Amino acid sequence: MHPSGQQQDTHRIDLDQKIADLLRIRKADLTIIDGIIAMEGQGPHEGTPLEMNLLIAGEDTVAVDALTSYIMGYEPHEVPSTQIAFSEGQGEMDLDKIEAVGVDPDSVRTFFKRPASNPVGLIPGIDVLIQQTCPGCYKYIRGSLDSFKQSVDTDKFIEENGEVMVIAGGVPSLDFNDAAGKHLFVVGDCWKKFESSAEVEKAMEAAETVTEYPGCAPIYVFAQLNTDLSAMNA
């Protein structure tokens, strides 16, 4: 099912600005971070639980986010929503100006494994050709393939079902012959706006099977691509 326009508007690449804008509408009286069991890596879909046994709370949401990111091994300015809110005067991000009571943040600081969003080369036999597109398709395709890889013997899958190609965005490096005999999955709509669209259309004709996921960026592909690949294995 294609997500509604409201869902699409919410999940576009300016999400960090929208998070910061929430503070303009209603600043929180108290912000609480539940860090008892955290998660690192490919969260929230394939992350690894990490026991921290922490609660972080404060009246300044930006300061709470800044301190939390520091404890996770990030610098506060690496988190776009925190950086934006700070630059707009919504709260404090400078760790030297944040008064922390309780345990010393440095004594519990843990460098979390960071997530990866690039799906290229993740699974041999599932070729992802993704160029000239926003981060949305990268993250959704990567998340879907992460989940698929966890639940399926991918070497056996390729041996039994044949190779797969996933295309997203404008792909000028595509040779449509590369899709011949493969199961082709075409993600999003923006590929139609590039000169390489003719090559994508030829690839769709050459492929053994074709599945399209319309939308920009199609958040539902996060689950649907995994579902459709798994159905091939039934």
Side-chain angles (χ1 to χ4, degrees):
M1 181 177 179
H2 193 282
S4 70
Q6 184 178 11
Q7 286 174 310
Q8 293 288 54
D9 290 343
T10 300
H11 288 88
R12 291 183 67 84
I13 57 175
D14 55 352
L15 179 60
D16 292 298
Q17 179 65 64
K18 291 183 172 72
I19 293 172
D21 287 345
L22 289 174
L23 295 177
R24 295 179 179 275
I25 300 171
R26 175 64 163 87
K27 286 193 175 182
D29 297 314
L30 182 67
T31 299
I32 301 175
I33 303 294
D34 177 0
I36 297 173
I37 301 294
M39 179 175 286
E40 65 178 355
Q42 298 299 98
H45 54 287
E46 292 296 334
T48 303
L50 187 63
E51 186 173 348
M52 295 291 290
N53 291 316
L54 284 176
L55 289 175
I56 304 169
E59 296 178 354
D60 182 337
T61 300
V62 180
V64 171
D65 280 353
L67 188 61
T68 300
S69 61
Y70 175 77
I71 289 173
M72 295 170 64
Y74 291 77
E75 294 302 323
H77 65 80
E78 294 184 77
V79 183
S81 58
T82 304
Q83 176 69 50
I84 292 169
F86 169 72
S87 69
E88 294 179 347
Q90 301 294 331
E92 184 57 68
M93 187 183 74
D94 188 342
L95 296 173
D96 292 332
K97 298 179 180 179
I98 297 173
E99 181 182 358
V101 297
V103 299
D104 181 358
D106 285 309
S107 70
V108 293
R109 194 181 193 199
T110 303
F111 286 82
F112 280 38
K113 183 185 297 183
R114 300 193 175 200
S117 61
N118 195 330
V120 176
L122 180 64
I123 302 175
I126 299 183
D127 298 323
V128 179
L129 187 57
I130 180 168
Q131 300 164 0
Q132 302 183 97
T133 186
C134 76
C137 279
Y138 277 88
K139 294 175 182 177
Y140 302 148
I141 294 171
R142 174 62 191 246
S144 185
L145 294 182
D146 279 332
S147 297
F148 182 68
K149 186 178 181 182
Q150 290 294 324
S151 59
V152 174
D153 182 334
T154 55
D155 290 336
K156 183 178 179 182
F157 172 85
I158 297 301
E159 180 181 346
E160 294 180 351
N161 297 282
E163 294 189 3
V164 171
M165 174 176 280
V166 181
I167 291 177
V171 284
S173 61
L174 171 66
D175 179 345
F176 76 90
N177 291 303
D178 291 341
K182 296 181 180 179
H183 301 283
L184 178 61
F185 295 84
V186 182
V187 180
D189 294 329
C190 67
W191 65 270
K192 299 176 183 178
K193 301 178 181 180
F194 294 90
E195 292 183 2
S196 57
S197 62
E199 202 73 8
V200 175
E201 290 171 348
K202 292 178 183 178
M204 293 168 72
E205 294 175 359
E208 181 175 340
T209 64
V210 178
T211 304
E212 293 186 72
Y213 303 107
C216 175
I219 189 171
Y220 64 93
V221 81
F222 186 94
Q224 194 61 49
L225 177 57
N226 179 25
T227 298
D228 291 342
L229 286 170
S230 298
M232 292 171 56
N233 208 36

